[in-house]
Structure formats: C-alpha cells, structure tokens
Amino acid sequence: MAIILLLVIPIIAIILSALFGHKKEILEKINCVSSVLELLAGGYIVEQVVVSHSYSLFPYFSVEALSALILGLTVLVGIIATFHGVEYFELELGKKMISEKTMQHSYILMRVFLVSMYAAIVTANPIIMWISIEVTSLTSVFLINFFNRPEDLEAAWKFLIINSVGLLFGLLGTLLFLSQGEGLGRIFIQWTDLMSVAHSMSPTLLKFAYLFVIIGYGTKMGFVPMHTWKPDTYNKAPLPVVALLSGALLNVAFLAILRFTLIANISIGKAFSQNLFLFFGFISVTLAGSIIYTQKNYKRMLAYSTIEHAGLMLLGIGFGGIGIFGALLHMIYHSLGKAFFFLLSSNVAVRYSSSIIAEVKGLLKTLPVTGVLYIFAFLFITGMPPFGIFFSEFYIFLGGFAHHIIITSIVILMLIFVFVGFFRSIISMVFTPAPEGVEQGETSMWGLVPVGALALILVIISFYLPPFVTQLLKESVQTITNIR
C-alpha cells in the first residue's frame, strides 16, 4: 500500500498544481505537502525493508536493501530540494527572470521527475525501469530550458540527444537480456526471474547486452565518455533541479547498472563487469580531476566533481571486497553532500547572477551564512577528514590497494588535483573583497533552513551512521558480493 501511496501522492500534487497552481501560495503549499507525504511513504517502505529485508506488492513492485537505500536518499533529497526551491523560485520571480506560469510548470515537472524516479526504484520489471528513467529525460529537457534563453535551449537539446541515444543503447541491452529469459513464459518478467535463469543465458550475447546497458545507463549516470551533457546541463538548469539530477537520478541509474550486473555475473563471471567498472571509473576520475583543476565556472566545476564521484563509485564496485562497501557508503555521502553544495550555489547564483568564479567574490560579506556553509561543503565534498567522504574513499582505496595498486595510486594523485582546484576557487569566492553594488546579507532565512538541516545531517552521519543505514549497507554489500 505504501508503494501505491508513494506513486499516487505526487500524481495528485501534479493534478492539483495544474488546476490551482495559478495562485503562487497554493502552488507552493501543494508541493511542500506532497514532498512531506512522499518522505513519510518512502520512510515507511525503508522501515519495512529494515524489519522484513524486503517489501513488495507482487508481482509489480519490489524493494530490497539496495533499492531501499536509494529510495531513502531520493525522498530526502526531494523534500529538501522542494522546500529550498520555494525561496529560489520566489527570488527568480522577483528578478523577473521567470513568470508565474514558468514557476507553475517547474513545480509540476519536478513532481513528474520525482515520481518517475520512485517508479524506477520500486518496479520489479526492467522495461518499466527503462520507461521511468526515459520519462526523467523528457522532463529534464523542459527544466533545463527554465530561463528560456538561447544557451539554455542549446543545453536542453544537447541533453536530450545524448541521453536519448544513450537510453536507446540501454533499451537494446535490456531487450537482449529479456530475450534470454523466454523460457519463463511470463509477460511481466521480474529481476528475480532473470536471475533464476541467468546460468542458462548465452555468455557471448550477454557480454554485448551488458555493454549496451553500461553505455545506456552510464550516459544517465554521467561517467566518461558519456558525460558531455553534464557540464552544460548543470550550468543552465535551475539549481534545485540540478540537486535532484546529481543527488538522486545518478543513484537511480547506478541501481539499474547494478541490477544488470547481478544477472550478468552469474552467466559470464565477475571479471567482465569488474574490468568495465575499473575502466570507466578510472577515466572518469582522471579526466574530471584534470578539468576541475583549471575550471573557471563553479557550476561546471561541480558537474565535473559529480563525474569524479561517479567514477569513484564505479571503482569501488570494480575493486571488490571492502571497496563495495566503500562505493555504497560513498553514494550516500555524495548524494547528500552534492545536493547540499548545489543548493548553496543557488543562493550564490541568485545574488551574483553569474556562474563565473572570477565574478563571485566576498561571499563571507555578501552572504555570510552561505559563505560559511560553502566552506563546509567544499571540505566535505573533497573528502577532508573527519567528514564522511574521507571514510568512504578510504574504504574504496583499501579495496583498491589489495589488487590494483597502480590504478589506486593514480586516482589518489588525481584527487589531490581536485582538492587544489576546489581550494583555489573557493578561496577566491569566499575570502576576496566583495564587489561594489552587490547587496549584503542573506536574502531570507527560509532558503537556509533546508540546507541548514542538510548540513546537520551531513555532520551527524559523518560520525554516526544510524543502525538501519548500516543494516541496509551490509545487506546491499552481501547481495553484490555473493555473485562476485
């Protein structure tokens, strides 16, 4: 029942927003209430998985430890982005950058985006998962063109073309997997059905199918070389939406890849997928790290940081052992940490009307609270001790040093470049003298409440993981390890 509620609540909010969204106050309340109810429904599902190890509405929906972990992150990032978006949209409306009609459409599209991710996570069917993720692509196109400027339209078209081509590869790979499950004799084939017949699948055909899946969902995850849409999209889309793209959708695409990996490894062994993870992870970290070092645009810098962290997650799975635990722990920290960074950046973007690092100066004076939190976000996302990403990267590298010393050493070297690149940019933005004519002081405390709450969560989970999170992590690692 909770799964149905999780999917129905945002749909009701979409309908109400379309009918009554011409009144701004009503529109905001509808979406904030919807996000709270989605969090409650998602939280209940996670609780049931913790208690019973799975939660399903047979045969259409099923949630186990790994998907529960990602669902929890998605509803949490969703509510924070929604509440922060209230202030963001208000400010952009006040600057006459958007109209009230644009605001209404954006709220509706954000709820479509969220319900599509929920459906992709909880569905038991690979095709439904593909359809749901494709819907997120179509929705994102309109959100990227939020300001309706020529450069925004260009970024939206680039996103649509690259992701559509990528997801076509994903569909082809999915169909090849399903073609090997013909003996099941069922219309609605579940992930567990495919796993039950994986040992009888053609290894040669499955290698092609799995490669297509990696390319397809890897495009949505945004690792190299399927990353080229990411910097432009993150630079042009409204930042609460970018927080969802980086903090939630990346994880959903990662889930799809891992689900197919579980099936493929039974048929073709772990070496094939492991080498792909290592290859794509390594080139993602090295390319992103080198570009971050010289980046002049803070939104694009954060986009390349997301590519880098996606690469680290892949490396953790590829290394195996304790690296798998590190990868999934890294997914949690990155999801919340990067959403936090992008939401703070929305305050900066609104105040300075620029994404160029050289044009943003004196944050501690113009936006004192945001400036302090920006320093914390920088330290957290670059993996400085004692914050969470330091520990997840430590586990990943621990797994890497066991069998892949050279790769691990090069990756650590690239992370030094990442830190130096971030350090130069953040110091320039925060501590330099504020330019004349820029208003000083936080615009509103309302926009800081969600990010402040997220900052508190990041501090707490850096030192203390709740028992239910630890349990979900252990069960997820066990699921992946059993077939490696």
Side-chain angles (χ1 to χ4, degrees), residues 190-221:
Q190 297 176 281
W191 294 105
T192 52
D193 295 329
L194 290 175
M195 289 190 68
S196 68
V197 298
H199 62 280
S200 62
M201 294 181 178
S202 166
T204 303
L205 184 61
L206 233 59
K207 286 182 179 180
F208 284 102
Y210 185 71
L211 186 58
F212 288 145
V213 164
I214 286 284
I215 293 172
Y217 289 108
T219 302
K220 189 56 93 176
M221 194 174 174

Side-chain angles (χ1 to χ4, degrees), residues 42 52 97 110 114 163 190 237 249 294 318 336 391 399 472:
S52 305
M97 292 295 294
M110 281 182 68
L114 281 163
N163 278 269
Q190 297 176 281
L249 185 58
T294 59
L336 300 179
F391 297 105
L472 293 176

